[in-house]
Amino acid sequence: MVVMSRRTSKPRPRATSCPCGLAEAYDGCCGRFHRGEAAAPTAESLMRSRYCAFVRREEGYLLRTWHPRTRPQGVDFDPGMRWTGLEILGTSDGSAFHPAGTVTFRASFEGGSLHERSRFERVDGAWVYVDGEFLD
């Protein structure tokens, strides 16, 4: 006769990678930016954290990281939209040594994708999203 013992402790939740596409778990990746514990150090990291904010519907973070001259009153989330992945296709400038930068990316969603070149600038030392150009 085989006797199986019962597990007495709860299983640990498995750490999953951040929605931005990096292998680190959300809390240590984009979550720290969303919570205001750190600021994105590059334009690319801000782009990744903003994509993640769209996935998680973090309106406050999106508005805080939008340039004041182009910021909308609110973010209109499509309730049927399900984001499925982010691919960074290229960056130009946007490091700690630059005042501005661009990130070209493809954000996939169920049924399609969005291809954009986004512009970022520093405002009071922090990276913010200015605007974007849709690409084919």
Side-chain angles (χ1 to χ4, degrees):
M1 177 162 109
V2 175
V3 177
M4 306 271 304
S5 65
R6 284 193 176 180
R7 199 175 193 164
T8 57
S9 62
K10 292 182 183 179
R12 290 183 177 202
R14 204 179 96 198
T16 58
S17 61
C18 188
C20 80
L22 297 178
E24 194 170 353
Y26 167 76
D27 281 340
C29 192
C30 294
R32 62 196 170 109
F33 302 140
H34 294 175
R35 291 187 304 272
E37 296 169 0
T42 65
E44 180 181 336
S45 62
L46 181 66
M47 174 63 238
R48 288 181 178 279
S49 69
R50 286 178 56 82
Y51 168 81
C52 185
F54 273 102
V55 170
R56 298 177 59 90
R57 299 178 190 268
E58 295 279 349
E59 181 180 30
Y61 180 76
L62 290 166
L63 294 174
R64 281 193 313 276
T65 58
W66 216 307
H67 197 290
R69 75 173 181 264
T70 59
R71 181 186 304 135
Q73 291 294 313
V75 179
D76 187 21
F77 295 107
D78 179 344
M81 177 70 75
R82 184 170 179 276
W83 296 101
T84 58
L86 175 66
E87 180 183 7
I88 302 297
L89 302 173
T91 61
S92 175
D93 297 335
S95 77
F97 304 105
H98 298 108
T102 62
V103 178
T104 304
F105 68 93
R106 180 171 288 111
S108 300
F109 55 89
E110 285 183 353
S113 66
L114 169 74
H115 187 195
E116 181 178 313
R117 181 176 302 116
S118 295
R119 292 187 321 124
F120 298 87
E121 293 178 5
R122 286 183 179 273
V123 172
D124 297 328
W127 285 107
V128 293
Y129 170 77
V130 178
D131 59 19
E133 169 191 2
F134 293 115
L135 306 171
D136 294 331

